[in-house]
Amino acid sequence: MPGCGGGGWTRGRNTQTPDVSRHVSGGSGGTVGGANVTGDREPEGAGGVLRLGTRTSPLAMVQARGVAARLRELADVAVEVVGIQTGGDRHQGHLGELGGKGAFMREIDRALLAGEVDIAVHCLKDVPGDVPRPDGLAFAAYVARDDVADLMLFPKAGKVQCLADLASEARVGTSAVRRRAQLGRIRPDLRIEYLRGNVNSRLERLDAGEFDAIVLARAGLTRLGIERPGEALDILPAIGSGVLAVDCRRADSEVVELVRLLDHPETRRCVSAERTMLHGLQGHCNSPIAGHARIERDGRLSLRGMVFTQDGSRFVHSEERSPVEKGEDLGARVAGDLLRKGARDLIGSVPH
């Protein structure tokens, strides 16, 4: 494997940790895929180091460091976080111009396949449903799901503190077509405007008066340690919302075994249902599709799915339940029901 070598893992107490020294990269820093990268390095003198690739945004780095810390805790291994700037991060325009959210993953996928990093962390909601994952890569772990709420935030100096109090024609910033459609359904009188950038820059633009409100994921704010009052919206989340997925090379069996220490079975069951529904609908990067699975009090798995027109004026909805081990069947059933109700026409009405 390119970039491999070195003297094995730095480990301590956990004698059950897989011996994966031949699978990991030696050294640290430098470039990945020809691009400058940033990294959280282990102290000098460490042996083989597991290199964890991620985007360079503040939120992505915080998330990756959390995963790295958990791996160190569970397996007593050395982990270096390697920041990789992606095309989606460099591009300041609409993500649709780059083919959607897959623009956040291509460079990281290439680095993983080339052996320049050993594992990678992605927000699952940013993993496209209409683009096959590269051969040879697998999500070995889905970290326990965080809060899935969409939070509407308002300028600090303003008096408005809830959606109902926003004036007609108020400017609301978001980049998500799913949020745009559902807000259009609830408040068609609002001006929903495209907003991209990292969390802090979006908050700065909100407080500068460019928007009357913006919508952000509460999980992202929590991970960044940002405490700010807002209103949790009654809208359906994105597929994979609140879930971090840990990617690795399928052939690196011992690395896969290590990463599986992070896997949360309940989250995996929910993700299985949601992603199967998404694949069945065959939407594109501009398709307003929402879905959320959860394990109910009776122990059964439930899945809600919705598909909208761009402005939210028309939509279809489905909800089904199944035994928890039948997530893929549940996702296929909900997708089929949505398609019978006209989801294909709604998806086709949205340009991409």
Side-chain angles (χ1 to χ4, degrees):
M1 182 180 82
C4 285
W9 288 79
T10 298
R11 74 174 79 244
R13 299 177 305 278
N14 192 344
T15 58
Q16 300 304 310
T17 302
D19 182 5
V20 292
S21 59
R22 68 182 179 275
H23 293 277
V24 302
S25 307
S28 61
T31 64
V32 168
N36 290 326
V37 299
T38 60
D40 294 345
R41 302 188 182 192
E42 290 291 323
E44 291 297 326
V49 175
L50 187 74
R51 303 189 76 197
L52 187 160
T54 185
R55 293 169 55 197
T56 55
S57 73
L59 178 58
M61 294 295 286
V62 164
Q63 291 170 165
R65 287 168 184 147
V67 169
R70 188 68 176 140
L71 276 172
R72 295 184 191 111
E73 177 185 348
L74 290 172
D76 212 6
V77 297
V79 185
E80 176 195 355
V81 174
V82 179
I84 303 171
Q85 191 174 54
T86 69
D89 294 309
R90 291 189 295 269
H91 184 67
Q92 297 303 305
H94 198 290
L95 280 178
E97 297 168 0
L98 298 181
K101 289 187 173 182
F104 289 131
M105 302 183 65
R106 294 183 194 114
E107 286 91 344
I108 297 174
D109 287 344
R110 285 197 290 267
L112 189 53
L113 288 166
E116 294 163 341
V117 296
D118 304 298
I119 63 174
V121 175
H122 300 289
C123 285
L124 188 60
K125 68 181 179 61
D126 292 337
V127 178
D130 59 332
V131 180
R133 296 292 295 132
D135 290 339
L137 299 185
F139 289 130
Y142 296 116
V143 181
R145 174 170 252 161
D146 284 334
D147 195 329
V148 301
D150 290 288
L151 204 63
M152 180 168 277
L153 303 171
F154 306 89
K156 285 183 177 179
K159 296 181 179 180
V160 173
Q161 292 298 317
C162 68
L163 171 63
D165 290 342
L166 284 173
S168 182
E169 297 295 313
R171 298 160 300 168
V172 178
T174 181
S175 60
V177 294
R178 170 192 60 87
R179 291 173 180 155
R180 176 185 292 269
Q182 294 186 79
L183 285 171
R185 176 175 163 241
I186 299 167
R187 287 286 307 269
D189 59 317
L190 298 177
R191 288 169 50 193
I192 313 299
E193 300 183 356
Y194 191 74
L195 172 64
R196 279 197 61 207
N198 64 50
V199 171
N200 285 323
S201 69
R202 296 190 202 193
L203 291 172
E204 288 170 2
R205 294 180 65 185
L206 172 66
D207 291 331
E210 293 185 43
F211 299 93
D212 298 297
I214 64 173
V215 184
L216 295 174
R218 181 148 60 188
L221 293 168
T222 301
R223 290 166 184 164
L224 286 168
I226 297 174
E227 296 184 7
R228 182 156 173 159
E231 179 184 6
L233 297 176
D234 185 18
I235 62 177
L236 199 60
I239 304 294
S241 181
V243 178
L244 297 179
V246 187
D247 208 6
C248 56
R249 290 178 293 275
R250 199 181 295 270
D252 290 350
S253 58
E254 286 150 331
V255 173
V256 170
E257 184 181 348
L258 179 80
V259 170
R260 280 181 180 158
L261 295 172
L262 299 170
D263 196 52
H264 187 252
E266 290 188 5
T267 297
R268 179 169 287 275
R269 290 178 177 127
C270 293
V271 163
S272 174
E274 293 174 16
R275 296 284 297 178
T276 301
M277 183 195 81
L278 184 62
H279 291 309
L281 290 171
Q282 297 182 334
H284 51 76
C285 62
N286 287 328
S287 300
I289 296 172
H292 181 57
R294 67 181 186 181
I295 297 176
E296 302 290 348
R297 290 182 179 178
D298 63 2
R300 288 171 65 81
L301 183 64
S302 71
L303 174 63
R304 291 180 62 202
M306 298 183 77
V307 180
F308 305 84
T309 54
Q310 200 165 27
D311 62 1
S313 60
R314 292 187 295 138
F315 68 94
V316 291
H317 173 266
S318 179
E319 182 171 6
E320 300 277 352
R321 295 191 181 199
S322 77
V324 291
E325 68 274 11
K326 299 290 186 180
E328 290 187 6
D329 292 343
L330 177 62
R333 275 210 325 272
V334 171
D337 189 38
L338 290 167
L339 290 169
R340 283 190 295 273
K341 291 175 177 176
R344 175 55 50 208
D345 290 339
L346 300 185
I347 291 170
S349 73
V350 179
H352 68 287

